[in-house]
Amino acid sequence: MLFDLRGRGRRRTVQVIYIGLALLFLVGFVGLGVGVGGGGGGILNAFTGESGAPKASFAGQVKKYQKLVVEQPKSLSAWEGLINAQLHEAGGESSVSNGKLTSQGKELYSDVAQSWNSYLALNPPKPNPKLAKEMLRVFGEEGLNQPASAVEVLQIVVANDPSSVSYFAELAEFAYKAHNERQGDLAAEKAVSLSPASGRAKLKKELAELKKSAASSTSTSTGTSTASTSGAASSGSAITGSSSSGESANATITVGGKTYKVSQKVKEQLESSEKK
């Protein structure tokens, strides 16, 4: 028998076997992390850097591309890289809470919007449709709630995907909210024509209700705005443009006959590069 220790040389054999088994258990349970909760924490993981490391922040990428757009302000790829990095940075849990933007989220979304406007100011022959789709959450109701900017983004999206019912329906919705009924009607008509025959009546009704809702909200906001303006006038004060400071300040640049909103810093960078 193997474990009969009275035999000559067998004691040594058994010792070797037990040592070998001990080493196997050591490698399996400790080295590879077998049996460790969460699937991490083994010795080998420590050497490979995979021991439950936190998700990498995109702040480094944002800084990298911010520097690049300063150096190459007319580079479309540099601006696309910055926008993409900022979108990832703004996609964390700290940006949105209970379906609403946090203060940090609003700041991050505003940064993305400024970069996007700077990108469009370069008049790209074919704006990046993938980034445009991502910008919908920035300009949508759960983001900055800027329907006119959402319309601009959706025009890029539908040009790249002209058979999408949902995107044309979204274009109609945001156009109505931006008080552009003509564009809303055209997009709604296109969405209905592209939808299956069985669902056209329902979609047409829903879009008509969106148009009506947007029109009623316009009337309400117009009344409120008139009252506020009268109050300001009676107190001898006037409001002209938007008032903000630092990075949040808005400026405009004109490229190819079109005017775009950009941050003051970006405007200065573009003007300085043109002088060079």
Side-chain angles (χ1 to χ4, degrees), residues 62-140:
V62 171
K63 290 180 180 179
K64 169 188 171 182
Y65 283 106
Q66 282 176 333
K67 181 180 179 181
L68 190 59
V69 296
V70 172
E71 296 171 351
Q72 304 175 31
K74 296 184 179 181
S75 170
L76 294 176
S77 61
W79 282 106
E80 288 180 0
L82 176 58
I83 294 165
N84 189 53
Q86 288 176 323
L87 283 168
H88 279 90
E89 185 73 1
E93 296 178 356
S94 59
S95 295
V96 180
S97 178
N98 297 323
K100 294 182 179 180
L101 276 183
T102 62
S103 57
Q104 181 182 353
K106 189 172 183 179
E107 183 179 345
L108 291 172
Y109 275 39
S110 296
D111 289 343
V112 183
Q114 288 181 0
S115 296
W116 174 256
N117 290 332
S118 298
Y119 168 70
L120 290 184
L122 297 175
N123 272 341
K126 188 176 181 181
N128 191 311
K130 184 177 179 180
L131 287 181
K133 290 177 182 179
E134 291 294 329
M135 290 302 298
L136 282 176
R137 64 183 170 94
V138 174
F139 293 124

Side-chain angles (χ1 to χ4, degrees), residues 72-214:
Q72 304 175 31
K74 296 184 179 181
S75 170
L76 294 176
S77 61
W79 282 106
E80 288 180 0
L82 176 58
I83 294 165
N84 189 53
Q86 288 176 323
L87 283 168
H88 279 90
E89 185 73 1
E93 296 178 356
S94 59
S95 295
V96 180
S97 178
N98 297 323
K100 294 182 179 180
L101 276 183
T102 62
S103 57
Q104 181 182 353
K106 189 172 183 179
E107 183 179 345
L108 291 172
Y109 275 39
S110 296
D111 289 343
V112 183
Q114 288 181 0
S115 296
W116 174 256
N117 290 332
S118 298
Y119 168 70
L120 290 184
L122 297 175
N123 272 341
K126 188 176 181 181
N128 191 311
K130 184 177 179 180
L131 287 181
K133 290 177 182 179
E134 291 294 329
M135 290 302 298
L136 282 176
R137 64 183 170 94
V138 174
F139 293 124
E141 289 184 350
E142 293 185 359
L144 298 175
N145 194 19
Q146 298 176 0
S149 295
V151 167
E152 189 176 37
V153 166
L154 279 162
Q155 287 175 329
I156 296 170
V157 173
V158 298
N160 184 71
D161 191 0
S163 60
S164 172
V165 177
S166 60
Y167 283 130
F168 272 106
E170 279 191 90
L171 177 56
E173 177 183 356
F174 282 110
Y176 289 141
K177 289 178 179 178
H179 315 309
N180 188 337
E181 287 193 5
R182 174 58 179 165
Q183 188 167 22
D185 289 342
L186 290 173
E189 183 180 347
K190 185 67 174 178
V192 171
S193 68
L194 289 172
S195 65
S198 58
R200 287 176 186 170
K202 182 181 178 181
L203 179 59
K204 188 175 182 179
K205 181 180 178 181
E206 289 175 348
L207 292 173
E209 289 174 352
L210 283 172
K211 179 180 179 180
K212 184 178 179 181
S213 176

